[in-house]
Each structure stands twice: as C-alpha cells, then as structure tokens.
Amino acid sequence: MSVKVLNDKVILEHAGSSVEIYYYGATVTSWNYRGKELIFLSKKSFLDGTKAIRGGIPIVFPQFSKASDPSAETAALPQHGIARISNFELLEDLTDSESVSIKLGLSDSQISESLRKFWPKKFKLIYTVTLKDGALKTDLTVKNEDSTPFDFQALLHVYYSVPDISKLSVEGLINVSYIDKVNKFAKGIENDQFVKITQPTDRIYLDVPTETIKIHLSEDFKEGFTLQRNNLKDTVVWNPWIETAKSLTDFDDDEYKQMVCVEPGHVSDYVNLKPGESWECGQIIEYKP
C-alpha cells in the first residue's frame, strides 16, 4: 500500500487497487479495482481547475440546487456550491494493514474572494478518503468556526461507471417519496423495486429509510455496488440522457450510456450548525465483481 503525493493530486494504492483524488474540489476522479475502472470521468472533463470536474465524486457544499428562496444564506452561490471549485490541502495520510487513507481540508480562508463575498461564513471542511480491498469510504466533517449559526446542504455526487445503461438498475428506493426535477419538480412515490434509467432522470428521493442502496450493473444482479449512507437522509439519482448530454460542453454526446449518479446527500432541507459545532456524514461503497 502507498500514498503518492503529486503536484495536483494524490494517488492511494492498496491490494491491487487505486484511487486518485485531485486537490481541486477534493474530487475523487478514479477508483480502479484490479484493472477495472469503477468511477466515471468524462473524457471532456476539465482537470486544470478552470471548471468543476465532470465525473468522479465532487463534494457539494454548502448548497445543492440554486436556492429557490432569494433570502436564503446561500442564494447567491453557484449551483452545487463552492467546495467542488476550490483547492483543498493535504492534511495527513494514514495506513494500516487493511486500508490506506488521506485527509484533505478546506477553510474559508482558501475560498476565492469572488465566492466569499456571497457566503462570508467561517468554516472548515475535513474530507477523508479511505481505500480498502473492494471498498471506498468517503467521510465529510463540517465545522462552524463562525460566531453565528449557518445553514448548509451537503452531498457526495458519485458518478458510477456503467458498462451498459440499459442493463442497470437501482434497488432500495421503493415506496420512497421523490421530487422529479425533470417534470417541473412534481412529487411522486417510487413504485419500482428496481429503478431503470430509460429517459432523462433527475430525482431527489427524500428521507430514504433503507440502510443500503444497490446499484446493479447487470441484469443477473451479479455485478454491482452496495452503497451505505451515514447521516445523509436523501439520495439523488441522475442521468442527463440524450438531449442534455448534447448540451453539456464537458460531456460527450454518448457518455450518458456509460454512467449513472446515485448521490447520498442532505439536500431536501438545510442543516443548521451552531458556532463551534461539527456535523459529520459519509458513505461506504462496496464493489461486487
């Protein structure tokens, strides 16, 4: 096992697998399991810090969508907030016989002035990425270092690599209420045990009660992922499909066939964090070949 520290990223290696994390956005851009890439990264994605990385696992903070209420603290911030377009710093690396991990940090003093003026809160993020044999764990800690409370949302925007979108299904969302962003934010209840992607999909599943969500990559359910969420009550399922894919400058026209986002988050309302307090969340993704 090893930790390779480069100018723009860190690479973790363990048990024949590797994970690549860019400082920009602390975005995981690759999880290679014994020669098989498990995380989707668009071949058109910008990796030079000029634009948010399209793919991987971007961190969404302190807001998910643009705030509908113009009086909200985060109303002036860009879509998905500031973390994914800011440079984190490497704090430490940790290794033992079963895993290798790193901690990355972001504080308000590292945010550009153009963004800080829209959200002038004092905060610190600590993001821990841990690679185990067949599993990837990411944990986020938010600390309020201001003198007053602030509200925020958080989400881990995971792009899974998919061999064939027609064979994919997501299990664990049946009977869960959702908001359908594609259909003018209409509300509904999921009736399918196995959710298929057959059209533009952008749903926020609310207060998901199941402990785990399964992403099946094959119709026989042999290959896929198991997602365990920690303190992230909502889950977003997204695929741009044909027309939206064509409209994205950092996404190839046919790449919608090769990915799906299943994103654990706290996005249906806001977390209120008091001065000096911390809030923690995370996920564990296990891969079954």
Side-chain angles (χ1 to χ4, degrees), residues 183-232:
N183 189 23
K184 299 180 180 179
F185 292 82
K187 295 182 179 180
I189 297 176
E190 184 57 68
N191 296 316
D192 295 326
Q193 180 179 357
F194 302 101
V195 178
K196 303 281 289 183
I197 307 296
T198 59
Q199 59 187 341
T201 302
D202 193 355
R203 290 182 175 181
I204 305 172
Y205 288 88
L206 311 172
D207 297 306
V208 180
T210 49
E211 182 178 344
T212 60
I213 294 172
K214 295 182 179 180
I215 299 102
H216 301 292
L217 299 181
S218 57
E219 293 175 329
D220 60 8
F221 304 145
K222 289 183 178 179
E223 182 186 7
F225 302 93
T226 298
L227 166 64
Q228 298 181 32
R229 301 165 298 122
N230 173 33
N231 202 27
L232 292 169

Side-chain angles (χ1 to χ4, degrees), residues 2-288:
S2 67
V3 177
K4 295 181 179 179
V5 179
L6 305 178
N7 290 333
D8 56 351
K9 60 187 174 184
V10 182
I11 300 173
L12 311 182
E13 297 178 333
H14 175 66
S17 299
S18 64
V19 167
E20 181 180 271
I21 310 105
Y22 272 75
Y23 297 124
Y24 186 67
T27 304
V28 173
T29 54
S30 171
W31 175 18
N32 189 292
Y33 176 78
R34 301 179 182 179
K36 181 179 179 66
E37 182 55 58
L38 304 180
I39 295 293
F40 170 84
L41 179 69
S42 174
K43 60 187 177 184
K44 287 189 172 182
S45 179
F46 293 84
L47 297 173
D48 59 0
T50 59
K51 189 175 182 179
I53 293 172
R54 174 67 70 183
I57 311 179
I59 301 170
V60 173
F61 172 89
Q63 77 170 6
F64 176 54
S65 300
K66 290 286 289 183
S68 57
D69 181 357
S71 67
E73 291 181 341
T74 57
L77 289 176
Q79 169 95 349
H80 293 348
I82 57 180
R84 68 175 187 150
I85 51 174
S86 299
N87 286 304
F88 284 63
E89 62 177 337
L90 179 62
L91 300 178
E92 63 177 322
D93 60 81
L94 305 164
T95 60
D96 57 38
S97 60
E98 297 183 350
S99 66
V100 57
S101 66
I102 58 165
K103 288 183 182 291
L104 297 138
L106 178 71
S107 64
D108 55 282
S109 61
Q110 296 164 252
I111 304 297
S112 67
E113 287 297 327
S114 60
L115 291 174
R116 287 184 68 188
K117 68 181 181 181
F118 295 126
W119 202 68
K121 309 296 182 181
K122 294 183 179 180
F123 70 92
K124 188 171 185 65
L125 301 183
I126 303 223
Y127 190 53
T128 305
V129 179
T130 302
L131 175 64
K132 297 183 177 182
D133 188 14
L136 178 64
K137 187 172 185 280
T138 64
D139 297 292
L140 179 67
T141 299
V142 181
K143 184 175 181 181
N144 183 349
E145 297 188 334
D146 214 319
S147 58
T148 59
F150 61 68
D151 296 335
F152 69 91
Q153 297 173 330
L155 175 137
L156 302 172
H157 200 309
V158 188
Y159 286 73
Y160 291 93
S161 180
V162 174
D164 184 348
I165 194 66
S166 69
K167 297 180 180 178
L168 173 125
S169 63
V170 180
E171 181 183 4
L173 300 171
I174 191 169
N175 296 325
V176 177
S177 298
Y178 64 81
I179 297 171
D180 190 344
K181 295 177 68 179
V182 173
N183 189 23
K184 299 180 180 179
F185 292 82
K187 295 182 179 180
I189 297 176
E190 184 57 68
N191 296 316
D192 295 326
Q193 180 179 357
F194 302 101
V195 178
K196 303 281 289 183
I197 307 296
T198 59
Q199 59 187 341
T201 302
D202 193 355
R203 290 182 175 181
I204 305 172
Y205 288 88
L206 311 172
D207 297 306
V208 180
T210 49
E211 182 178 344
T212 60
I213 294 172
K214 295 182 179 180
I215 299 102
H216 301 292
L217 299 181
S218 57
E219 293 175 329
D220 60 8
F221 304 145
K222 289 183 178 179
E223 182 186 7
F225 302 93
T226 298
L227 166 64
Q228 298 181 32
R229 301 165 298 122
N230 173 33
N231 202 27
L232 292 169
K233 66 191 185 81
D234 307 313
T235 299
V236 175
V237 177
W238 180 73
N239 182 289
W241 210 244
I242 301 168
E243 293 306 318
T244 300
K246 290 179 180 179
S247 72
L248 297 172
T249 59
D250 56 355
F251 194 91
D252 202 43
D253 289 357
D254 290 330
E255 286 185 323
Y256 72 93
K257 301 175 184 177
Q258 303 163 23
M259 55 71 65
V260 69
C261 289
V262 181
E263 315 160 28
H266 189 124
V267 297
S268 57
D269 57 15
Y270 287 85
V271 178
N272 181 264
L273 196 62
K274 296 178 181 179
E277 291 189 347
S278 295
W279 181 87
E280 298 179 352
C281 68
Q283 65 177 350
I284 301 173
I285 306 170
E286 296 180 328
Y287 172 64
K288 181 177 70 171

